[in-house]
Amino acid sequence: MSTTKKATSALISVFHKDGLEPLVKKFNELGIPIYSTGGTETFIKELGIDVVPVEDVTSYPSILGGRVKTLHPKVFGGILNRQDNEKDQEQLKEFEIPQLDIVIVDLYPFEKTVASGASEQDIIEKIDIGGISLIRAAAKNYKDTLCVSSMKDYDEVLDIITKGNGSTTLEDRKRFATKSFNVSSHYDSAIFNYFNQNQQEVTLKISEDNGQVLRYGENPHQKGFFFGDFDAMFEKLNGKELSYNNLLDVDAAVNLINEFKDNEPTFAILKHNNACGLASRSTIHQAYVDALAGDPVSAFGGVLISNTTIDLATAQEIHGLFCEVVIAPSYDAEALELLKGKKNRIILIQNDAALPTTTVRTCLNGILVQGKDDKTDTLEDLTNVTTEKPSERELEDLIFASKLCKHTKSNTIVLAKNKQLCASGTGQTSRVDALNQAIHKAQSFNFDLNGAVMASDAFFPFPDCVEIAHKSGVTSVIQPGGSIKDQLSVDYCNDNKIAMVMTGTRHFKH
């Protein structure tokens, strides 16, 4: 039997009618009878095109407020029959079931309804039953039936039907079946995740249908993809396509700057997911200058992010640096024009979009999932554990350093002074190594660490770190505490007039 089939009829039942008109007109032009229901039926009639109501086939009206329209053997028999099976064809004739070769369905907008903040009752009513059943039936029977499950595919279907004079190939039908099962599985995952918000079922269902092929992954020999709604997060104003590594750095930058969202002007410079520069100042220009001073070497090729509008003075400073990405909530017109002067420089406007509340990563032959570290240390979280108390200036620096420490790879030590990153030790196998790295780096860029503060992402098991920090000039320390030997570090601080506060919250980042 030929794998190319000429359509003899089409069933159309869609929620959104956008883009449907040309397809309906082409079916009419080709003499393909159309069956339909409810609002779609009305839409087709208003185009002046004949349409057969599904009720005329089933002898049942739409019932239960429209919940039941197409759920009938005469509809599903027309879709699921095997055209090369004699018994199937005999039963179609016996029960007067029409052959349905094309099924076009656009599901109720469940995810959009949830996102709109609608009531639970409205959300429940947007769980499509008949539509999802039609999709599964038509996709299952792709050998004989073309299933169109998204309005995004109308133009492609129109092109196929036009070129084939009403015929479709097996290859086309199987490809559209694949699309359809993607739609149905994504839809069911969204419904499950809505019902499982409190995680009664320890089950992971992730479905993202906004896929983008990247040039490559971390390295040129690796494939790379991004799944998500990038346009909801950013407006891209200039530059080349973002790479896999760009996206990781942008993610790190966004999560870090969100800690300073409602603060004074703050600028961060990141490289390989870690901040190499960060400063909060009265102007964004000075914040950038002081952030760059933290490590002007590592800033080369980095990702730059601001928590406020980038003005011309700041743009002039940035323009002298080779950087991959610049991110801000807005730009002055002159600043934007200057920054666009380098065609490959990626310029993004950060929108106020929600970020995921969980983190997901592959591990061994499975997946690790955890709640995001959404705890930001505040003054109210601090417990003074030493005789010496931090000054008001030191308290500001301690919170500043703690925010940065939370977003730096463990083991990490952050040294800060006057709300400026002096240096950090990142990703080290011991906390002493992290501290020595930070001190060496700060001194290499001529930072005076006298009066600086130190933040640690986890407790000190021994007093060695506070001793080394003290000898470099550090006068105040913030750490979570929790070691059975906490008192050793406290005693050293008391003996040497160093202030130490504990937060009770560890911020490992592996």
Side-chain angles (χ1 to χ4, degrees):
M1 193 171 187
S2 173
T3 59
T4 298
K5 294 185 178 293
K6 193 170 183 68
T8 59
S9 65
L11 171 64
I12 307 176
S13 181
V14 299
F15 184 86
H16 295 103
K17 315 300 186 294
D18 302 1
L20 185 62
E21 182 178 341
L23 202 50
V24 170
K25 287 182 175 179
K26 177 55 68 173
F27 288 159
N28 183 60
E29 178 188 322
L30 293 171
I32 299 174
I34 300 172
Y35 296 83
S36 193
T37 63
T40 310
E41 178 190 335
T42 301
F43 172 81
I44 296 171
K45 283 180 178 177
E46 288 176 351
L47 293 176
I49 293 172
D50 290 338
V51 58
V52 180
V54 166
E55 291 93 329
D56 289 0
V57 176
T58 64
S59 300
Y60 273 88
S62 173
I63 61 173
L64 307 182
R67 282 189 165 196
V68 180
K69 297 188 286 285
T70 57
L71 295 169
H72 193 280
K74 284 197 172 184
V75 174
F76 283 83
I79 296 169
L80 283 165
N81 75 91
R82 292 156 292 190
Q83 293 182 22
D84 59 355
N85 185 296
E86 285 187 25
K87 193 162 186 178
D88 282 7
Q89 298 310 303
E90 288 172 4
Q91 288 186 326
L92 255 63
K93 291 178 182 178
E94 179 184 355
F95 297 108
E96 298 180 339
I97 298 173
Q99 180 75 56
L100 298 173
D101 305 294
I102 298 176
V103 175
I104 300 177
V105 178
D106 177 48
L107 297 171
Y108 292 160
F110 178 81
E111 288 180 281
K112 286 185 178 179
T113 305
V114 172
S116 72
S119 68
E120 183 173 16
Q121 184 56 41
D122 287 341
I123 290 170
I124 298 303
E125 288 304 316
K126 288 299 183 290
I127 298 176
D128 206 314
I129 304 300
I132 204 76
S133 301
L134 290 170
I135 287 174
R136 290 180 65 83
K140 174 180 179 176
N141 202 35
Y142 69 88
K143 286 187 177 180
D144 296 314
T145 307
L146 176 69
C147 183
V148 185
S149 56
S150 171
M151 58 189 295
K152 293 184 291 188
D153 294 327
Y154 291 169
D155 288 344
E156 185 179 356
V157 174
L158 178 61
D159 185 58
I160 290 170
I161 293 296
T162 301
K163 289 179 178 177
N165 196 33
S167 296
T168 61
T169 66
L170 179 61
E171 182 184 13
D172 286 332
R173 295 193 298 275
K174 189 170 185 178
R175 184 162 51 84
F176 273 84
T178 303
K179 289 172 177 274
S180 297
F181 284 122
N182 178 42
V183 167
S184 66
S185 62
H186 179 83
Y187 197 76
D188 284 340
S189 293
I191 295 170
F192 169 78
N193 287 331
Y194 170 75
F195 278 93
N196 198 44
Q197 292 176 75
N198 295 324
Q199 296 181 318
Q200 302 98 318
E201 296 293 323
V202 184
T203 302
L204 175 66
K205 292 192 186 298
I206 300 175
S207 179
E208 291 287 349
D209 55 8
N210 290 319
Q212 176 184 348
V213 179
L214 303 174
R215 295 197 302 274
Y216 50 81
E218 282 185 287
N219 300 291
H221 62 278
Q222 295 171 263
K223 291 182 179 180
F225 306 89
F226 173 71
F227 295 93
D229 191 354
F230 185 84
D231 292 339
M233 283 289 305
F234 303 102
E235 180 182 353
K236 186 168 177 282
L237 304 177
N238 188 72
K240 61 186 179 182
E241 292 302 313
L242 280 87
S243 68
Y244 184 99
N245 292 334
N246 287 155
L247 289 167
L248 286 174
D249 284 333
V250 168
D251 175 69
V254 166
N255 281 285
L256 173 59
I257 209 68
N258 279 355
E259 299 283 355
F260 301 89
K261 187 174 181 180
D262 300 318
N263 291 34
E264 62 193 306
T266 300
F267 210 105
I269 304 172
L270 289 90
K271 194 77 172 287
H272 299 297
N273 305 166
N274 292 307
C276 57
L278 179 70
S280 295
R281 294 291 182 261
S282 59
T283 67
I284 198 61
H285 173 259
Q286 194 60 49
Y288 171 75
V289 169
D290 290 346
L292 182 63
D295 187 344
V297 175
S298 295
F300 181 87
V303 170
L304 282 56
I305 190 165
S306 165
N307 71 345
T308 190
T309 303
I310 290 181
D311 56 20
L312 179 59
T314 310
Q316 287 170 334
E317 297 282 354
I318 293 171
H319 197 56
L321 174 73
F322 169 71
C323 58
E324 290 278 342
V325 186
V326 181
I327 311 167
S330 60
Y331 302 81
D332 285 346
E334 291 178 308
L336 182 58
E337 192 64 29
L338 177 62
L339 292 174
K340 283 184 175 181
K342 294 186 178 179
K343 66 177 183 178
N344 286 331
R345 180 185 284 148
I346 299 165
I347 303 174
L348 304 174
I349 289 178
Q350 182 181 348
N351 300 323
D352 190 13
L355 292 170
T357 57
T358 57
T359 63
V360 181
R361 64 196 296 185
T362 58
C363 179
L364 301 175
N365 63 345
I367 296 172
L368 283 173
V369 181
Q370 66 171 345
K372 201 167 185 178
D373 183 1
D374 58 2
K375 171 64 178 172
T376 298
D377 298 326
T378 66
L379 292 175
E380 290 71 27
D381 298 314
L382 307 186
T383 300
N384 289 298
V385 294
T386 52
T387 304
E388 193 79 13
K389 307 302 180 196
S391 67
E392 186 173 337
R393 192 270 302 169
E394 286 174 326
L395 283 171
E396 288 186 340
D397 282 346
L398 288 169
I399 294 299
F400 175 91
S402 173
K403 290 179 178 179
L404 177 51
C405 197
K406 169 184 167 182
H407 293 276
T408 307
K409 292 286 186 181
S410 301
N411 284 319
T412 185
I413 292 288
V414 169
L415 302 177
K417 184 178 178 180
N418 298 323
K419 289 186 280 188
Q420 179 185 20
L421 171 62
C422 299
S424 60
T426 65
Q428 298 303 303
T429 52
S430 84
R431 205 155 298 281
V432 171
D433 286 344
L435 175 56
N436 284 328
Q437 180 191 52
I439 292 171
H440 173 76
K441 192 171 182 180
Q443 290 173 344
S444 70
F445 291 114
N446 299 315
F447 278 99
D448 179 4
L449 293 179
N450 288 303
V453 306
M454 173 174 70
S456 174
D457 61 339
F459 62 64
F460 298 114
F462 304 103
D464 46 9
C465 280
V466 288
E467 181 179 355
I468 295 168
H470 169 238
K471 290 178 179 178
S472 72
V474 168
T475 55
S476 191
V477 178
I478 184 170
Q479 59 132 324
S483 169
I484 59 173
K485 296 182 179 180
D486 275 344
Q487 195 59 44
L488 295 177
S489 294
V490 173
D491 290 344
Y492 181 90
C493 289
N494 284 333
D495 291 342
N496 293 277
K497 295 186 179 180
I498 301 172
M500 178 182 283
V501 297
M502 293 185 183
T503 64
T505 303
R506 188 181 73 184
H507 290 295
F508 268 165
K509 188 181 181 206
H510 286 82

